[in-house]
Amino acid sequence: MRLAMLVERRYAPYPKWFGTAFARLPCAPELRETLEQILSAPDWPKREAGLFDACWFIAELQMARGVPGAIAPSVGSLRNRPFRFVDSLQIGNALRSAIADDELRELPEFGAADQFISSNFVLAVPKFSRAAVTALLDLKAELK
């Protein structure tokens, strides 16, 4: 759902309003059906199939919406394990390589604070949000 918000270029509000915002997306009717199948799946193979379909849908949506660097999805594999998944690393690398500005392309692979923090207390106070992002950037620098 969050990826759909990004692809459709809509702001993803905090959790209380997230579902309402998602329902207003042009892609929501088709994707909602798949997500409901995932939630009601009686076993893991059906749940896995639904997750695969949802990820494939989002990858194709990127191409349909003209996201720079979007590529056709492909099936990933994990050393002959029986699990199917969309190769999101391949997609992410293609999207990143489409960024023309070298400085922008080198930025860390996370977005704004509201993409990794759901605390209204932190998000409502710019000083706290800035501190959280700064801490994450410092941690990323330490890990290099």
Side-chain angles (χ1 to χ4, degrees):
M1 290 170 64
R2 188 168 286 278
L3 284 173
M5 298 291 287
L6 287 170
V7 173
E8 296 282 15
R9 300 177 61 92
R10 298 297 197 289
Y11 175 74
Y14 71 100
K16 179 179 178 181
W17 299 108
F18 184 74
T20 301
F22 172 77
R24 294 179 178 151
L25 296 177
C27 70
E30 190 173 349
L31 186 54
R32 182 178 56 233
E33 184 178 316
T34 303
L35 297 174
E36 287 173 355
Q37 289 172 0
I38 294 166
L39 291 173
S40 64
D43 54 37
W44 74 263
K46 287 191 173 58
R47 195 165 27 261
E48 177 197 46
L51 287 168
F52 180 88
D53 291 345
C55 291
W56 195 275
F57 176 87
I58 292 294
E60 288 185 332
L61 184 66
Q62 289 178 330
M63 292 188 315
R65 297 294 187 261
V67 173
I71 59 171
S74 63
V75 180
S77 65
L78 291 172
R79 304 179 198 258
N80 298 323
R81 292 183 182 171
F83 309 111
R84 288 182 346 138
F85 61 92
V86 174
D87 191 340
S88 61
L89 290 177
Q90 183 182 32
I91 293 170
N93 289 338
L95 295 173
R96 190 177 241 342
S97 70
I99 300 172
D101 183 290
D102 293 336
E103 197 172 325
L104 182 60
R105 189 175 46 255
E106 295 304 318
L107 289 174
E109 295 181 8
F110 63 86
D114 64 344
Q115 290 181 305
F116 63 92
I117 296 173
S118 62
S119 168
N120 293 334
F121 178 74
V122 172
L123 295 174
V125 181
K127 182 170 71 172
F128 295 163
S129 295
R130 193 168 26 261
V133 171
T134 300
L136 189 56
L137 285 169
D138 286 346
L139 177 61
K140 182 152 178 89
E142 286 179 28
L143 295 176
K144 283 188 174 182

